Amino acid sequence: MVAFVPAAAIAARTASPSSTCRSRGSVASTFAAGSSPALLSAPVSAPAPAAVAGLTMAAKREGVPLNLFRPKTPYNATVLYNGTLVGKDAPGETMHIVMNHDGNVPYLEGQSIGVMAPGVDAKGKPHKVRLYSIASTRHGDFGDGKTVSLSVKRLVYEDEEGKEVKGVCSNFLCDLQPGDKVAITGPVGTAMLMPEDPNATIIMLATGTGIAPFRTYMRRAFTENNPDFKFNGKMWLFLGVPTSSTLLYRTEFEDMMERHPDQLRCDWAISREQTDANGNKMYLQTRMKEYAQELYELVTGPAKAYIFLCGLKGMTAGIDEMFGELFEKDGLNWNEYRKAMKKEGRYEAEVY
């Protein structure tokens, strides 16, 4: 198997904590939106471990690792890389963080891990665990099954009194330096697991950092050379962001499309820069409407497409409205059809 790894991350992995790689600001991101990635081939001689001795594995799908580490007994991962994913003019900061777990935290595409920020809250209690969708395949960004990656946006906002408030966990993660330790729990989640069917048609709907699980799907399907899995199906990604500078992993995805034009489609919805034919802002559901009939046929036709949503909850209403109108024309009920899809494992939404 060959994994594609950013040069800056290679340097961060091989350097000691006291080296110049500790300075997060000194590492030019190879993941930045619209940039040309510096990719290195890293041959891998062994696959990721399937389990950890002494820990339980349980789930509907056989072999899914769940809750191997809990808040009282977390795993202390080590940061290898922390670089920006967005341009300088982006509204907010989003980071790609790679952490080493030495193969002790196995996970699958579509799962999440918990992060425990150090310190206590205003009541003197430990901070609650925050869940983050994993942004790397089971083999990690290095392909050796020893790392896990996250896409994290720094949360900063003003309260009702106009005072700046910083999200505890997101700011903790975004400020990490190579060599720092992070207490992680999990992995958790079975709903968003990448379908095992190598011939599946998968429609992926994401906003912002909701792209994380779909990056894992696409990397497993189109970047890795796994001896036990070859994807022959099709994937279609719709990604909604405010500006071009916030198109996370854009260069990586465009490279995949160039190499697999018959299997992968990606459509961007850039709300502050694009409009539809009527001058309305281009949100994710707006972009989808341009392909409404095609999407309808993929969902109801022989392809029996899967639909996965991840990101802001606000996108669901527009998506339901679009499908609702299409189904109504054929005398069908989208809400009932969606429920049936969910029972079949063909529809899942992880929104916030």
Side-chain angles (χ1 to χ4, degrees):
M1 181 178 69
V2 176
F4 293 92
V5 187
I10 288 281
R13 185 184 182 109
T14 57
S16 66
S18 61
S19 75
T20 55
C21 285
R22 272 195 66 86
S23 175
R24 177 170 59 85
S26 68
V27 180
S29 172
T30 57
F31 293 107
S35 68
S36 298
L39 299 176
L40 298 179
S41 295
V44 178
S45 57
V52 178
L55 297 177
T56 60
M57 310 276 284
K60 293 180 180 179
R61 184 189 297 183
E62 184 179 353
V64 179
L66 287 173
N67 297 309
L68 304 182
F69 295 92
R70 299 178 181 273
K72 291 185 178 180
T73 56
Y75 183 84
N76 287 315
T78 304
V79 177
L80 297 178
Y81 175 82
N82 192 3
T84 185
L85 281 170
V86 297
K88 293 181 179 179
D89 62 336
E93 184 178 28
T94 304
M95 311 299 289
H96 182 80
I97 305 166
V98 183
M99 295 178 286
N100 179 37
H101 60 71
D102 280 328
N104 294 304
V105 189
Y107 56 86
L108 297 180
E109 297 75 19
Q111 288 194 290
S112 300
I113 60 168
V115 175
M116 300 175 64
V120 296
D121 60 21
K123 297 181 180 180
K125 296 183 179 180
H127 292 298
K128 294 181 179 179
V129 174
R130 292 288 186 256
L131 293 178
Y132 290 89
S133 296
I134 295 171
S136 51
T137 73
R138 68 190 70 186
H139 301 293
D141 283 343
F142 292 95
D144 60 3
K146 296 183 179 181
T147 66
V148 61
S149 300
L150 302 178
S151 304
V152 181
K153 182 175 182 179
R154 186 188 297 274
L155 177 61
V156 180
Y157 64 96
E158 290 186 354
D159 63 16
E160 296 178 352
E161 299 177 355
K163 296 180 181 179
E164 183 179 80
V165 179
K166 294 184 177 181
V168 174
C169 201
S170 68
N171 279 268
F172 162 68
L173 287 169
C174 289
D175 288 336
L176 287 169
Q177 307 290 329
D180 289 343
K181 298 292 184 179
V182 182
I184 61 176
T185 63
V188 299
T190 59
M192 293 288 289
L193 290 175
M194 179 180 174
E196 293 181 291
D197 181 2
N199 300 306
T201 296
I202 305 172
I203 299 169
M204 305 166 289
L205 313 175
T207 58
T209 54
I211 190 61
F214 305 136
R215 178 180 186 254
T216 74
Y217 292 10
M218 290 188 284
R219 284 182 69 86
R220 180 161 174 76
F222 305 120
T223 298
E224 297 179 343
N225 181 21
N226 294 294
D228 60 342
F229 180 79
K230 178 175 174 53
F231 186 73
N232 300 308
K234 298 180 185 297
M235 292 187 181
W236 193 351
L237 170 69
F238 288 87
L239 175 59
V241 295
T243 63
S244 297
S245 57
T246 54
L247 278 170
L248 309 184
Y249 308 108
R250 177 178 184 173
T251 308
E252 186 174 316
F253 297 157
E254 289 179 340
D255 176 67
M256 292 181 194
M257 282 194 290
E258 184 177 344
R259 290 184 290 108
H260 302 274
D262 297 327
Q263 290 183 277
L264 177 63
R265 296 171 65 174
C266 296
D267 281 284
W268 321 129
I270 309 173
S271 61
R272 298 184 188 179
E273 299 174 11
Q274 300 174 333
T275 59
D276 64 10
N278 297 317
N280 299 309
K281 286 188 175 182
M282 185 63 71
Y283 294 110
L284 181 143
Q285 58 269 29
T286 315
R287 179 66 75 196
M288 289 179 65
K289 287 181 180 179
E290 296 179 352
Y291 306 96
Q293 188 60 37
E294 187 175 357
L295 289 167
Y296 175 71
E297 292 173 2
L298 285 175
V299 171
T300 60
K304 293 293 182 182
Y306 293 77
I307 297 179
F308 292 99
L309 295 78
C310 190
L312 297 176
K313 188 176 182 180
M315 68 174 165
T316 58
I319 294 169
D320 286 339
E321 179 183 356
M322 182 199 74
F323 277 117
E325 293 175 355
L326 291 167
F327 273 73
E328 189 175 358
K329 288 180 180 179
D330 281 353
L332 302 173
N333 185 294
W334 163 241
N335 289 331
E336 293 301 319
Y337 194 87
R338 184 186 60 204
K339 291 178 182 177
M341 286 182 66
K342 187 173 178 65
K343 287 182 179 179
E344 296 171 3
R346 293 173 49 219
Y347 179 95
E348 196 61 52
E350 193 170 89
V351 295
Y352 44 86

